[in-house]
Amino acid sequence: STTGEYWNPKVETLSREALEDLQRKRLRATLRRAVRAPFYRELLGPEPWRHVRTLADVRHLPITTKEDLRRAYPYGFLCVPKDQLVRLHVSSGTTGQATAVFYTHKDVNTWAELMARCLYMTGARPGDVFQNLSGYGLFTGGLGFHYGAERLGLLTIPSGAGNSKRQIHLMRDFSTTVMHIIPSYALRLMDVMTQMGVDPKRDLQLRIAYLGAEPYSQEVRRRVEDFYGVKVYNSYGLSEMNGPGVAFECVHQNGLHIWEDAYLVEVLDPETLEPVTEGELGELVLTTLTREGMPLIRYRTKDLTRILPDACPCGRVHRRLDRIQGRSDDMFILKGVNIFPIQVEQVLMGIPEVGNNYRILLDRENNVDVMTVEVEVTDKIFVEDMRHLHRLQKKITKELRSELLVTPEVRLVEPHGLPQNDGKAVRLLDRRNPY
Ligand code: ADP
Ligand code: K
Ligand code: ZN
């Protein structure tokens, strides 16, 4: 590998020892800063850095949860005087009440640097035209990518989410080459392009797409790559850790490098909070190592993933996370079986006759749990006769049963027949407990 492949060669390819040395120093500095916040002063006690001699000592520190952030809302986690803050984001509140995150000038800068590192890693370069089809505003996805793209020197179009026809016109008129888009919108935009008679491989210049902010399967990656003629790179982040730019795929598309100079990684058993065996699935727990305004110590992300064992051919020392399976609270239990929505998606999106939208309904009828999967079919299949549709329905049911080990009710829906929303997709409606 040549250094031209790295945005920050020194930090991306340093040795494991040097990286861990840097982490240990930054962890101690983070603890010194953290105790300036009322919440951490109480939680950590006096001079907590004295107990952290080695990196492994992080395990003796207490955990921070989303509930802690809620309780300390709005300003309880601040570690600097308010006059040093320049930015505030609020998490979109996918689950429950929102939480606030604060940034100093330096925090905004380090975040932009991390994002630039991600984009550069996938081959985006000055001369590329970058269209950011992500919600702007309180959601971190918009400004996070925006600042990183400008830092790198991409011509950045802040087109935001929605208004699909205009998005497509912008792509065509300005020869967009790189886009950032959440997976459910990428699927929806495919349908709009098809309706407009736009074939991206023929009519557009797209070559790279960043997809993240919500869970999606390899099958969705494949669909998006095939339709748009792009390479799709997985992008992971959460507001509490700045936003996007926490972990990102390199050109090998084999898992997400997590930037360990900025985040200390643990993967814990969600029940016992003990570390899982290296390479096992568990909950990602992160400690910020560079943040000034609002450091977080051992924050439970609720996201389930594993550390991939082998080194990446790209030469980066930063370890890789497997595709996020979902949040621990996305998992639902049906007739005693644990199911993640992503398992349903993986089956559906692997079937060519299935369209780009689906949802899962859970109901209780006569004290029995019933799962219904509503599936949009493609335009092509919709005009076929009943026998054909019936055969497809049976096929979907059979494939879902063999993946999930329970038999869902499958309902085929006409193209564009299911509700859509602009932000993250709502795929699961659990109506079993009305309260
Ligand atoms: P909210 O928690 O309100 O949705 P965020 O915008 O901070 O607010 O969302 C971050 C969450 O989004 C992550 O914790 C994770 O659950 C999900 N997420 C982000 N990127 C990905 C990704 N690439 N794959 C799967 N899930 C993701
Ligand atoms: K979050
Ligand atoms: Zn790599």
Side-chain angles (χ1 to χ4, degrees), residues 135-396:
Y136 275 71
L138 291 175
F139 175 58
T140 50
L143 288 176
F145 267 83
H146 187 102
Y147 273 57
E150 286 190 351
R151 174 69 52 97
L152 168 52
L154 308 182
L155 172 53
T156 303
I157 310 178
S159 58
N163 205 341
S164 299
K165 284 196 177 132
R166 191 176 63 182
Q167 299 279 8
I168 295 163
H169 288 145
L170 288 168
M171 283 180 188
R172 202 194 42 208
D173 296 351
F174 298 102
S175 305
T176 299
T177 52
V178 179
M179 68 172 168
H180 170 222
I181 184 166
I182 66 174
S184 49
Y185 189 33
L187 292 171
R188 197 142 46 86
L189 195 65
M190 282 165 62
D191 292 345
V192 181
M193 282 194 186
T194 306
Q195 278 164 8
M196 288 169 68
V198 173
D199 172 1
K201 285 193 277 215
R202 183 192 60 205
D203 306 324
L204 304 175
Q205 307 295 318
L206 290 168
R207 62 184 194 90
I208 291 175
Y210 306 119
L211 266 67
E214 59 186 7
Y216 64 108
S217 57
Q218 284 287 8
E219 283 68 23
V220 165
R221 186 215 293 263
R222 213 161 296 139
R223 274 190 184 211
V224 172
E225 289 195 330
D226 289 350
F227 181 82
Y228 293 98
V230 295
K231 284 256 185 198
V232 166
Y233 297 104
N234 201 349
S235 155
Y236 171 79
L238 59 162
S239 320
E240 293 85 345
M241 296 289 131
N242 285 340
V246 174
F248 217 84
E249 279 184 323
C250 72
V251 289
H252 298 287
Q253 296 176 299
N254 56 354
L256 304 95
H257 287 284
I258 179 153
W259 298 126
E260 295 188 76
D261 57 313
Y263 304 98
L264 186 64
V265 186
E266 295 174 85
V267 180
L268 305 184
D269 179 324
E271 304 275 313
T272 63
L273 294 182
E274 290 297 316
V276 298
T277 317
E278 180 91 27
E280 294 284 301
L281 189 73
E283 179 176 336
L284 189 65
V285 172
L286 298 175
T287 300
T288 64
L289 294 176
T290 57
R291 280 215 317 195
E292 277 186 347
M294 187 177 161
L296 288 179
I297 315 290
R298 305 193 80 203
Y299 180 72
R300 287 188 70 167
T301 65
K302 300 273 182 87
D303 292 324
L304 299 175
T305 183
R306 69 185 92 238
I307 302 267
L308 295 171
D310 40 324
C312 186
C314 75
R316 289 179 179 82
V317 66
H318 306 257
R319 287 177 296 171
R320 283 167 302 130
L321 303 180
D322 200 358
R323 178 173 294 275
I324 310 291
Q325 175 154 4
R327 303 188 206 234
S328 49
D329 37 20
D330 284 343
M331 192 193 74
F332 60 91
I333 299 178
L334 195 85
K335 297 177 178 164
V337 181
N338 298 359
I339 300 173
F340 281 97
I342 202 80
Q343 292 176 274
V344 174
E345 177 183 293
Q346 197 180 308
V347 169
L348 296 179
M349 294 296 142
I351 301 173
E353 299 92 335
V354 167
N356 287 329
N357 204 358
Y358 70 93
R359 65 176 181 170
I360 304 164
L361 310 173
L362 303 178
D363 291 289
R364 182 162 291 149
E365 294 167 6
N366 306 320
N367 286 319
V368 179
D369 286 346
V370 182
M371 167 158 90
T372 308
V373 180
E374 294 185 321
V375 183
E376 283 186 14
V377 298
T378 58
D379 285 299
K380 211 156 69 213
I381 194 85
F382 187 63
V383 298
E384 297 281 350
D385 64 20
M386 281 302 280
R387 242 177 331 154
H388 213 105
L389 288 170
H390 191 65
R391 226 177 298 137
L392 174 62
Q393 186 196 28
K394 276 173 81 173
K395 176 177 164 186
I396 296 171

Side-chain angles (χ1 to χ4, degrees), residues 110-144:
T110 49
W111 184 18
E113 271 295 312
L114 287 173
M115 266 322 303
R117 203 194 282 178
C118 294
L119 307 182
Y120 192 90
M121 174 164 72
T122 63
R125 294 291 183 274
D128 272 310
V129 178
F130 172 63
Q131 193 163 328
N132 195 6
L133 295 86
S134 161
Y136 275 71
L138 291 175
F139 175 58
T140 50
L143 288 176

